[in-house]
C-alpha cells in the first residue's frame, strides 16, 4: 500500500480561463506524465499544424480537445517530493457546475483560476461561493494569462483587490494570489523573471505548503460503512465491516458504536488485503474490521469509537445549498440525499434565505430554490442519519442532492435541529383526524375475539421468523385472531413497485406500519419478524401502528444455539406469558 501522504485539490475557473493548462503544466513540470507523453502530444500537434497547448496533456479530457470545453469532472495525479496529489478538474462552464460539486466534494484545497486579460467573470464568483459553501478553507487564486497583459502589476493588483473584496463578503480569506502564465510556466513550478515585482511563492510551492489536515487523526474516529462481507468457504466465518476511514484512529480491542443505529461491539481484527496484520489504523485508509458481535449493519451506518464525541443523529438540519437542477427545488417534494455512504430521502422544509450567487444580493421571500440559487435551508430526512457539522468533520458535513438520477445540488450542514415536528408525526396526526371509522368499535372487537389487538415485532436473531410463526400457530390454536406476515411476503405484493435499492427498506417499513395500523384496527394480533430492524425501524412502525398497541420482542444471540426447536418453543412461551401479563389475551392459558 502506498504510504505517502495524499491530498485532493480541486481546480476551478471560468471556461477558457486556463484550468486545463495549469493542470497540464503541473503534470509536466513535476515529471508526472507517462514517459514520452509530452513528446507524443507535441508531435501530434505538429502533424496537425496545431499549436501545442499543455491542456492537451490531460488524457482524461480528450473530449475537451474536441469540443473546446471541459464536459466532465476528471481526475489526474501528480507528485512532488512531499506528497501525492489528486487533481479534480471541475468544469468551468455554468452548465457543468453539478459535476464540480460532486468532484469537489472531497477536496482539501482549491486553486481558482482567473484570466488576467478577461477579468473576473460570473463563474469566478460562483466558484468562490461554491468553495466557501463546500467548506474548503485552503484557497490560492491564480491570476492567469499574465503574458497577455505584459505581466502588468496594475492589472494583477486590480484583480486581487476586486476579488478579495468579493471573497471577504463570503468570509473566505485566500492563502495567496499568484500571477502566472500557465502557457509559459511563469510562477507555476519556477519563479518568473518576467514579473520581478512578484517575489512570493510559486504555485507548486503553495500547493506543497497546503496543510494536510494533521488534526484529522486527532478528530473522533469516523468510518462510514460501505458494505459487510461474509466469508463461508474453508471454515472462514468472518463478517468484515468495510469502509474508508475519514477521521481519527481505532485499535484492536476498542469499543465501537455504529450510528445512527446505536449498535455496539468491539474491534477483534483489522483486515486489509495482502499486508501485514495491524493493531491500529487511522484516517486515509480503506479497511475492514471483524467485530466481537454479529451485527446487522446496512450501508450508511457510521462506525465511531464509543469513548469519543459522537456524530449527530437526527432527521432535521440546517444547511447551505447550491442548486443546479433543471427544475427548482420545491418545498415538501422528495429528493435523495447522499451524505458519506448514507442514501436517504429528504425534503426541503423551509427556505430561510436566498442569495444570488453572481452578485451576492439577497433574495427575499423565496419559497423554492431556483437554478443557480444559493440558499440557507432547513431539510428533513425520512429516517435519521449520522452527520457532523461542516466545521467539525468536513467529510460528514457535506452532502449531495439527487433529483431524478441527476446530481442537482450540493451543500454543507451548518447545524442540527430538533426532531420535534417530524413529517412522520404530522402524517400520523393528519391520518387519525381523517380516519373514517365504521360502526364497530374497538371494544366490540375486543369482546368478539377475547383479546385486544397488538402489533408484535420480533427482532435480533435468525430465530425471529420461526418464533413468529410458532406464536401465530399457538394463538390460532387457542381461537385467537392472529396473523403472521413475513417481510419477504411484501416484496412481490405491496412493495412490488419499489425499485430503488435505497428506498426499499424505508418504504417496506413504512408500508408494514400502515398495514399494521389496519390489521390492529380489525382486532388481530399481527405478528412479523425483522431480525435486523434498528431502533428507527421500530420507532416508525410503533408510531404508524398508533393508536393501537405495539410490542417489540428482541431475541438474544444465545437464542440461536443448538436444540433449536426447544429454544423456539421456550421463547414463544415467554412471549405468550408477556402478552398475558399485559392482559392482551385476557383468558389465555398455556
Amino acid at each position: 500500500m502506498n504510504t505517502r501522504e495524499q491530498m485532493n485539490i480541486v481546480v476551478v475557473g471560468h471556461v477558457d480561463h486556463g484550468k486545463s493548462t495549469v493542470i497540464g503544466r503541473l503534470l509536466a513540470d513535476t515529471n508526472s506524465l507517462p514517459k514520452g507523453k509530452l513528446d507524443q502530444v507535441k508531435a501530434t500537434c505538429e502533424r496537425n499544424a496545431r499549436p501545442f497547448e499543455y491542456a492537451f496533456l490531460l488524457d482524461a479530457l480528450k473530449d475537451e480537445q474536441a469540443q473546446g470545453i471541459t464536459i466532465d469532472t476528471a481526475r489526474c495525479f501528480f507528485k512532488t517530493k512531499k506528497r501525492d496529489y489528486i487533481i479534480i478538474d471541475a468544469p468551468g462552464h455554468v452548465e457543468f457546475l453539478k459535476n464540480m460539486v460532486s468532484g469537489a466534494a472531497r477536496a482539501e484545497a482549491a486553486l481558482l483560476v482567473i484570466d488576467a486579460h478577461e477579468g473576473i467573470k460570473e463563474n469566478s464568483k460562483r466558484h468562490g461561493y461554491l468553495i466557501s459553501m463546500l467548506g474548503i478553507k485552503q484557497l490560492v487564486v491564480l491570476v492567469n494569462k499574465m503574458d497577455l497583459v505584459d505581466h502588468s502589476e496594475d492589472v494583477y493588483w486590480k484583480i486581487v483587490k476586486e476579488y478579495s473584496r468579493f471573497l471577504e463578503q463570503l468570509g473566505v480569506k485566500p492563502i495567496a494570489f499568484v500571477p502566472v502564465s500557465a502557457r509559459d510556466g511563469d510562477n507555476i513550478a519556477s519563479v518568473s523573471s518576467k514579473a520581478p515585482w512578484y517575489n512570493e511563492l510559486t504555485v507548486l510551492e503553495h500547493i506543497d505548503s497546503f496543510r494536510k489536515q494533521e488534526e484529522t487523526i486527532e478528530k473522533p474516529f469516523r468510518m462510514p460503512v460501505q458494505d459487510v462481507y461474509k466469508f463461508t468457504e474453508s471454515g472462514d466465518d468472518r463478517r468484515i465491516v468495510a469502509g474508508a476511514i475519514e477521521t481519527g484512529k481505532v485499535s484492536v480491542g476498542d469499543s465501537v458504536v455504529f450510528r445512527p443505529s446505536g449498535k455496539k461491539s468491539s474491534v477483534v481484527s483489522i483486515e486489509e488485503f495482502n499486508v501485514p496484520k495491524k493493531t491500529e489504523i487511522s484516517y486515509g485508509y480503506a479497511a475492514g474490521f471483524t467485530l466481537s458481535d454479529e451485527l446487522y449493519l446496512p450501508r450508511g451506518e457510521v462506525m465511531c469509537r464509543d469513548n469519543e464525541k459522537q456524530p449527530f443523529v437526527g432527521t432535521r438540519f440546517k444547511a447551505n445549498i447550491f442548486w443546479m437542477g433543471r427544475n427548482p427545488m420545491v418545498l415538501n417534494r422528495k429528493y435523495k440525499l447522499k451524505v458519506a455512504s448514507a442514501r436517504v430521502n429528504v425534503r426541503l422544509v423551509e427556505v430561510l434565505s436566498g442569495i444570488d450567487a453572481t452578485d451576492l444580493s439577497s433574495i427575499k421571500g423565496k419559497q423554492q430554490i431556483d437554478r443557480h440559487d444559493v440558499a440557507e435551508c432547513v431539510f428533513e430526512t425520512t429516517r435519521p442519519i449520522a452527520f457532523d457539522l461542516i466545521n467539525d468533520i468536513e467529510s460528514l458535513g457535506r452532502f449531495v442532492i439527487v433529483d431524478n438520477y441527476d446530481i442537482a445540488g450540493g451543500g454543507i450542514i451548518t447545524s442540527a435541529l430538533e426532531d420535534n415536528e417530524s413529517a412522520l408525526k404530522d402524517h400520523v396526526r393528519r391520518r387519525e383526524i381523517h380516519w373514517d371509522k365504521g360502526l364497530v368499535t374497538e371494544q366490540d372487537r375486543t369482546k368478539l375475539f377475547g383479546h385486544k389487538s397488538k402489533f408484535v415485532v420480533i427482532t435480533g436473531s435468525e430465530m425471529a421468523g420461526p418464533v413468529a410463526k410458532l406464536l401465530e400457530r399457538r394463538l390460532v390454536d387457542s381461537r385467537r385472531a392472529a396473523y403472521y406476515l413475513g417481510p419477504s411476503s411484501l416484496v412481490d405484493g405491496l412493495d412490488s413497485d419499489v425499485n430503488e435499492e435505497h428506498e426499499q427498506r424505508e418504504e417496506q417499513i413504512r408500508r408494514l406500519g400502515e398495514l399494521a395500523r389496519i390489521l390492529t384496527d380489525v382486532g388481530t394480533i399481527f405478528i412479523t419478524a425483522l431480525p435486523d430492524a434498528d431502533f428507527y425501524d421500530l420507532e416508525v412502525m410503533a408510531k404508524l401502528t398508533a393508536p393501537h398497541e405495539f410490542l417489540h420482542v428482541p431475541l438474544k444471540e444465545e437464542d440461536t444455539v443448538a436444540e433449536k426447536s426447544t429454544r423456539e418453543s421456550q421463547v414463544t412461551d415467554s412471549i405468550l406469558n408477556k402478552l398475558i401479563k399485559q392482559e392482551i389475551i385476557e383468558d389465555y392459558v398455556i
Side-chain angles (χ1 to χ4, degrees), residues 255-425:
S255 295
V256 294
V257 58
F258 292 85
R259 302 292 182 185
S261 69
K263 294 174 181 175
K264 294 185 177 183
S265 189
S266 59
V267 176
V268 173
S269 67
I270 298 169
E271 305 284 338
E272 292 182 288
F273 180 70
N274 204 25
V275 298
K277 284 283 186 184
K278 291 180 179 176
T279 57
E280 181 178 283
I281 193 165
S282 62
Y283 79 99
Y285 286 89
F289 300 89
T290 61
L291 305 173
S292 57
D293 302 278
E294 189 172 295
L295 303 179
Y296 292 96
L297 296 168
R299 176 187 170 93
E301 291 274 338
V302 179
M303 182 173 163
C304 312
R305 282 173 62 184
D306 199 16
N307 60 350
E308 293 183 328
K309 181 182 178 182
Q310 300 295 300
F312 290 96
V313 173
T315 60
R316 291 167 67 91
F317 58 84
K318 189 185 294 183
N320 293 336
I321 182 173
F322 190 99
W323 188 250
M324 297 155 290
R326 293 185 182 90
N327 299 312
M329 187 179 204
V330 297
L331 295 173
N332 295 319
R333 191 188 154 202
K334 192 187 292 183
Y335 299 90
K336 299 184 189 71
L337 176 81
K338 297 182 178 181
V339 55
S341 62
R343 308 287 185 268
V344 297
N345 289 324
V346 68
R347 68 186 181 102
L348 173 65
V349 175
E350 184 179 2
V351 181
L352 300 172
S353 63
I355 295 174
D356 185 326
T358 60
D359 59 7
L360 298 185
S361 61
S362 178
I363 306 172
K364 303 292 185 184
K366 294 284 287 187
Q367 294 298 307
Q368 64 182 32
I369 308 174
D370 295 310
R371 195 174 202 191
H372 302 149
D373 274 359
V374 177
E376 183 183 30
C377 310
V378 174
F379 289 96
E380 181 175 310
T381 57
T382 51
R383 60 180 295 116
I385 56 171
F387 62 88
D388 285 287
L389 307 186
I390 188 67
N391 289 332
D392 296 335
I393 296 179
E394 293 178 3
S395 56
L396 270 79
R398 294 174 180 168
F399 62 85
V400 166
I401 290 182
V402 177
D403 182 20
N404 289 328
Y405 303 100
D406 291 329
I407 293 174
I412 56 174
I413 301 173
T414 56
S415 62
L417 301 175
E418 294 291 331
D419 293 347
N420 294 336
E421 295 299 327
S422 71
L424 180 60
K425 287 181 180 176

Side-chain angles (χ1 to χ4, degrees), residues 16-26 28-29 38 42 50-57 113-117 142-151 178-190 192 194 203:
D16 290 336
H17 276 203
K19 299 184 315 300
S20 297
T21 306
V22 168
I23 296 170
R25 262 291 177 182
L26 287 170
D29 292 353
L38 181 60
K42 285 183 175 178
R50 189 177 186 185
F52 167 77
E53 293 182 20
Y54 279 89
F56 296 163
L57 291 170
V113 183
I114 296 175
D115 186 326
H117 185 256
L142 312 187
V143 183
N144 191 27
K145 302 187 182 182
M146 287 296 294
D147 52 299
L148 297 183
V149 294
D150 297 326
H151 298 276
V178 184
V180 304
S181 170
R183 188 191 69 174
D184 300 336
D186 293 327
N187 289 331
I188 297 291
S190 57
S192 171
K194 299 171 188 171
V203 174

Side-chain angles (χ1 to χ4, degrees), residues 442-511:
E442 183 179 353
Q443 290 72 26
D444 293 336
R445 298 184 195 280
T446 300
K447 186 176 180 181
L448 174 67
F449 296 122
H451 59 79
K452 296 178 182 176
S453 64
K454 195 103 172 175
F455 182 25
V456 181
V457 179
I458 304 174
T459 69
S461 164
E462 292 179 355
M463 206 168 67
V467 168
K469 294 175 183 176
L470 189 56
L471 179 62
E472 180 201 33
R473 181 75 264 169
R474 297 264 182 94
L475 288 166
V476 171
D477 286 348
S478 62
R479 297 180 179 275
R480 310 301 171 189
Y483 182 72
Y484 164 77
L485 181 73
S488 61
S489 302
L490 293 171
V491 173
D492 293 319
L494 279 176
D495 293 344
S496 61
D497 60 327
V498 184
N499 299 316
E500 292 189 41
E501 184 178 353
H502 90 281
E503 283 192 349
Q504 286 175 350
R505 176 70 175 190
E506 190 175 302
E507 189 59 15
Q508 180 188 63
I509 295 298
R510 189 191 72 79
R511 294 185 185 193

